[in-house]
Amino acid sequence: MFWVVKIIFTLFLISSFLIPANAETKNKTLTFLIIGQSISSNCNQKKFDPEFGVNQFNIDGNIVKAQDPLIWADCQGGSLWIPFGKKIITDNLATEVNLLPIGARGTKIKDWLPSGRAYPKLQKALDLIINNKIHIDYVLFYQGSSDIGTKPYLYHSMFLQLHKIVKNRIGFLDWIIATHSRCFGRTDKDIANIQKSFNSIHFYTGPDSNSFGDEYRFDGCHLNEQGQLKMAMLWADSVKNAIDKKKDIENETLISYFKHIKL
Amino acid sequence: MQTEIARTDNVNASRKTFLFYIENIRAIAIILVVLCHLSLWSRINPDSVSWVGYHLSDATAVFVFISGFLFKFLADKNGFSFFPYIKKKILNVLLPYLLFIAFATVIGLILKSYEHFGLSPIPFSIWSVFIGGSVIAPLWFVPMIFLFFLSSSLWIALSRHKFFYIFTYTLILFSVFSSRPYLNLNPFFSFLHFSGFYAMGILMASDLSQPAPKVQSNSLYMMIICLFLYFITFLYFLHNPTHEDGFISNIFKLNIIQLGKIFLILFLFLLTRKYLNRKIPLLSYIANISFGLFFVHGFSLVLFGYVASRAQINNIIAYSLSELLISFGLSILIIEIIKKITGQWSRYVLGC
């Protein structure tokens, strides 16, 4: 009897180290919902030309080629998302990238909550996702410099409220959260620390926008062409890291073993 | 001959004496565990890996140390036989755990927590029982500690080997150069990570049965050294305040928090043994209900989180006081009510 217990224990121990076979086929299309303020929108310097395989959703939810300025986002300049999409494809993370960037300039995080000025836009985007049965793979969150001076625990709490709003409408999604609390020479380290602190099975670390000096910005805040290209690379790397980390988490927590059971 | 008699007397005396200092450390450990889980720290200090986190996190290590210590001490005192031992653990630990995990899993099913993990309900339920902390986070501890119980024969055999201390030092090194699994949701990796502390507890208990225990000699100097080293590791942490969970990804990476915990445990052990080896009513009470407090406080904190979000308590003092009251006060109240209702069966429901 005692030997039976020892054998069972040993088998369980060994099973922790086994990586289960990946039963899922490779994801050919990655779809991103991008929430944030001006730096996540078309408020940057360079307008990028369309790239093959990099698309966006129009107002009706149809997929069209992505071209700066992107349809849903604020401002009439350029974004970083076309070079981002191109990098995702060249890194073999997907063969097609669909973008839904709904950034609104100058928004504090509370503006994305009920009675905030960006809330109607968020709800409209979520309605589009639901009505068109769009499958979102990641939410890219690129906001924070408008919240310089906001109490950190309030920022933390409001972010979780925003997450809950999105979750309640379109389910649990993986969020990649950039560190962005620097603009026009001012940086809020507390907000940056809060943004870096989000770390769970659905929150992953995004690029550190605060590390970009003025050589990457054309007005002290928004990105010039060099900044857009570099930030695009960093965002693509963050997506790759998130994919790898999620796989590690699911293997280590044994979720991957139980995920294949459909009961 | 006389030396032999004195040696036997010393050994017998150490086995007969109630270890008040271990009881007091157990109380301190559960207080640290509960404090560590409070959300008020993130309001006071927004950094995710803060000085508060350094001092309070991984208080589990203290519990694992005590577990190893008491296991060896009681095995030497009363003898060890696997089946009676595991039967006792099943009744006093596994049974209350199954009751609490069943309750937690039902809550998880109602709240659709399985969606958070990308699982469907039945696999989620099975997985929850297996890993413990899917809904009420602190429950991850029990599947891990049960692995220590299951491997008790192995530990007894190893502890009797003359080179057990080398094995212990190796395990301690591994504990310091590894991290917890993600979200604490793998009892096997947790078992491996915390093995060093369990072995350390066994080694300290083994040492006690010696005629001239090493821990007794120069304990004041050792206390000072341990406290100094704890402070040094804290300073190192302040300059390198990063720590990530993940067992596989952090193997052979220095875990400064656990290194500090080694020194803290040694310091607490020596301090309580030298100065607090007596019954302290409040600590004694907390130690006696420690298992119950461990099981219940997670539920209390979830309840507090729900109430606090509805009430929107912005005043930091009001928030802190109410969270402390709920985490300790409400938990103790629930424990006392359950003990009253279940009477002599409370041990099988609460673990105390």
Side-chain angles (χ1 to χ4, degrees):
Chain A
M1 175 66 177
F2 172 55
W3 287 105
V4 171
V5 171
K6 277 212 273 195
I7 288 167
I8 292 171
F9 170 72
T10 308
L11 284 173
F12 272 132
L13 197 57
I14 292 168
S15 69
S16 279
F17 292 92
L18 294 175
I19 313 282
N22 190 352
E24 296 173 7
T25 55
K26 189 183 171 188
N27 221 1
K28 296 291 185 187
T29 304
L30 283 177
T31 304
F32 300 93
L33 170 64
I34 300 155
I35 301 175
Q37 53 184 99
S38 51
I39 203 167
S40 77
S41 310
N42 301 312
C43 307
N44 301 297
Q45 189 179 46
K46 162 84 176 171
K47 291 183 186 181
F48 287 95
D49 292 328
E51 291 283 353
F52 181 76
V54 183
N55 308 312
Q56 62 175 323
F57 292 95
N58 67 10
I59 295 298
D60 300 319
N62 299 315
I63 294 174
V64 299
K65 68 180 178 201
Q67 184 169 5
D68 281 333
L70 298 171
I71 296 168
W72 277 81
D74 275 8
C75 302
Q76 295 302 310
S79 72
L80 58 100
W81 303 115
I82 293 171
F84 160 79
K86 184 183 173 188
K87 181 87 176 14
I88 291 283
I89 293 168
T90 54
D91 282 353
N92 291 319
L93 298 177
T95 52
E96 218 171 303
V97 171
N98 294 335
L99 305 166
L100 184 56
I102 61 169
R105 67 188 307 174
T107 45
K108 291 173 176 281
I109 192 154
K110 68 176 183 181
D111 292 325
W112 293 94
L113 303 180
S115 73
R117 63 182 173 89
Y119 186 72
K121 189 176 189 181
L122 174 66
Q123 289 302 322
K124 196 173 167 190
L126 295 175
D127 288 340
L128 187 95
I129 291 167
I130 293 168
N131 295 337
N132 291 276
K133 294 185 173 51
I134 297 170
H135 171 75
I136 301 289
D137 292 289
Y138 293 94
V139 177
L140 306 184
F141 188 73
Y142 196 1
Q143 185 275 344
S145 61
S146 294
D147 275 293
I148 290 174
T150 299
K151 283 195 169 45
Y153 78 89
L154 281 177
Y155 186 89
H156 184 269
S157 163
M158 285 190 281
F159 175 84
L160 292 178
Q161 284 177 56
L162 171 60
H163 172 260
K164 195 175 177 183
I165 289 167
V166 174
K167 179 206 81 175
N168 285 346
R169 296 230 41 214
I170 59 174
F172 282 100
L173 296 172
D174 293 332
W175 288 55
I176 303 176
I177 302 149
T179 303
H180 174 65
S181 63
R182 172 181 172 164
C183 220
F184 301 121
R186 296 169 68 211
T187 306
D188 191 321
K189 285 183 184 169
D190 288 337
I191 297 294
N193 286 335
I194 289 292
Q195 291 171 331
K196 287 175 190 168
S197 75
F198 291 110
N199 182 20
S200 80
I201 201 165
H202 289 295
F203 294 147
Y204 300 93
T205 306
D208 185 352
S209 190
N210 288 0
S211 65
F212 276 33
D214 287 340
E215 68 275 22
Y216 292 107
R217 304 174 192 262
F218 74 92
D219 62 358
C221 187
H222 304 98
L223 302 171
N224 57 24
E225 181 181 355
Q226 192 185 358
Q228 286 167 261
L229 286 168
K230 184 160 179 181
M231 187 54 68
M233 305 299 116
L234 293 179
W235 267 111
D237 289 342
S238 296
V239 171
K240 183 175 186 321
N241 291 340
I243 291 171
D244 291 342
K245 191 170 179 189
K246 175 125 190 183
K247 208 185 296 185
D248 288 345
I249 291 175
E250 291 193 340
N251 284 341
E252 194 160 293
T253 58
L254 310 177
I255 287 174
S256 50
Y257 293 93
F258 290 85
K259 238 182 176 171
H260 300 306
I261 305 169
K262 300 291 176 194
L263 288 172
Chain B
M1 177 69 175
Q2 278 184 331
T3 311
E4 206 48 50
I5 291 170
R7 181 177 165 172
T8 309
D9 283 346
N10 206 348
V11 168
N12 287 338
S14 72
R15 285 178 184 166
K16 282 180 185 168
T17 313
F18 183 80
L19 302 181
F20 287 110
Y21 63 97
I22 288 293
E23 183 181 69
N24 293 333
I25 293 179
R26 186 152 44 131
I28 294 168
I30 189 63
I31 291 170
L32 288 176
V33 165
V34 175
L35 286 176
C36 172
H37 292 146
L38 301 183
S39 61
L40 64 95
W41 309 117
S42 64
R43 294 200 165 206
I44 294 170
N45 185 331
D47 286 348
S48 63
V49 191
S50 66
W51 63 268
V52 170
Y54 177 82
H55 293 304
L56 294 182
S57 62
D58 276 318
T60 307
V62 186
F63 260 112
V64 178
F65 167 82
I66 292 169
S67 187
F69 183 96
L70 285 174
F71 166 66
K72 176 63 176 169
F73 179 81
L74 293 171
D76 285 349
K77 183 182 170 188
N78 304 325
F80 174 80
S81 177
F82 178 76
F83 286 108
Y85 173 79
I86 206 69
K87 182 184 168 187
K88 197 175 162 189
K89 293 304 178 191
I90 287 171
L91 289 173
N92 295 338
V93 178
L94 189 62
L95 203 51
Y97 167 73
L98 289 174
L99 286 170
F100 279 97
I101 197 67
F103 185 52
T105 304
V106 166
I107 293 173
L109 289 170
I110 292 169
L111 297 176
K112 295 190 179 177
S113 300
Y114 48 86
E115 290 178 356
H116 178 69
F117 297 103
L119 295 170
S120 45
I122 293 176
F124 166 78
S125 304
I126 301 168
W127 175 71
S128 287
V129 174
F130 192 58
I131 50 86
S134 61
V135 181
I136 304 295
L139 291 178
W140 72 266
F141 180 81
V142 178
M144 177 198 69
I145 205 68
F146 210 77
L147 289 176
F148 283 104
F149 300 154
L150 282 176
S151 54
S152 50
S153 293
L154 185 65
W155 286 106
I156 279 290
L158 286 167
S159 71
R160 289 171 183 156
H161 197 281
K162 62 178 179 177
F163 292 125
F164 177 68
Y165 68 97
I166 295 176
F167 180 69
T168 300
Y169 297 152
T170 308
L171 283 181
I172 289 172
L173 209 60
F174 183 75
S175 290
V176 168
F177 282 91
S178 63
S179 290
R180 299 173 177 224
Y182 286 117
L183 308 173
N184 300 306
L185 298 181
N186 186 316
F188 303 105
F189 288 166
S190 298
F191 168 83
L192 291 173
H193 172 59
F194 283 103
S195 282
F197 294 94
Y198 195 77
M200 195 165 101
I202 291 176
L203 189 67
M204 297 301 267
S206 303
D207 185 61
L208 279 182
S209 59
Q210 299 305 312
K214 296 184 186 66
V215 293
Q216 279 191 157
S217 57
N218 301 315
S219 59
L220 182 61
Y221 294 115
M222 285 178 69
M223 258 194 278
I224 293 169
I225 290 169
C226 288
L227 196 59
F228 174 73
L229 289 171
Y230 180 70
F231 181 67
I232 294 294
T233 54
F234 175 52
L235 285 179
Y236 179 90
F237 170 81
L238 287 177
H239 285 284
N240 300 280
T242 54
H243 176 68
E244 283 184 18
D245 280 347
F247 182 79
I248 298 287
S249 55
N250 287 300
I251 285 185
F252 306 132
K253 286 184 189 171
L254 175 64
N255 186 332
I256 196 68
I257 295 175
Q258 293 296 42
L259 180 60
K261 282 295 172 299
I262 299 280
F263 301 126
L264 179 68
I265 287 169
L266 287 172
F267 171 73
L268 283 175
F269 181 81
L270 294 167
L271 177 79
T272 51
R273 186 173 158 82
K274 193 170 175 72
Y275 298 112
L276 292 176
N277 191 17
R278 63 182 188 279
K279 188 178 172 77
I280 299 172
L282 179 62
L283 292 183
S284 177
Y285 172 75
I286 291 173
N288 283 333
I289 64 166
S290 61
F291 234 130
L293 201 50
F294 167 78
F295 278 126
V296 171
H297 85 278
F299 291 90
S300 302
L301 288 176
V302 166
L303 179 65
F304 172 77
Y306 178 80
V307 168
S309 65
R310 291 284 180 280
Q312 295 194 357
I313 307 171
N314 290 324
N315 180 282
I316 188 71
I317 295 172
Y319 187 94
S320 304
L321 286 174
S322 46
E323 190 171 31
L324 281 166
L325 193 67
I326 298 283
S327 60
F328 283 103
L330 180 63
S331 299
I332 291 172
L333 183 67
I334 292 171
I335 289 166
E336 289 301 330
I337 290 172
I338 294 176
K339 283 175 86 173
K340 202 83 174 168
I341 294 170
T342 54
Q344 60 178 346
W345 305 102
S346 68
R347 190 165 267 283
Y348 308 121
V349 174
L350 269 178
C352 65

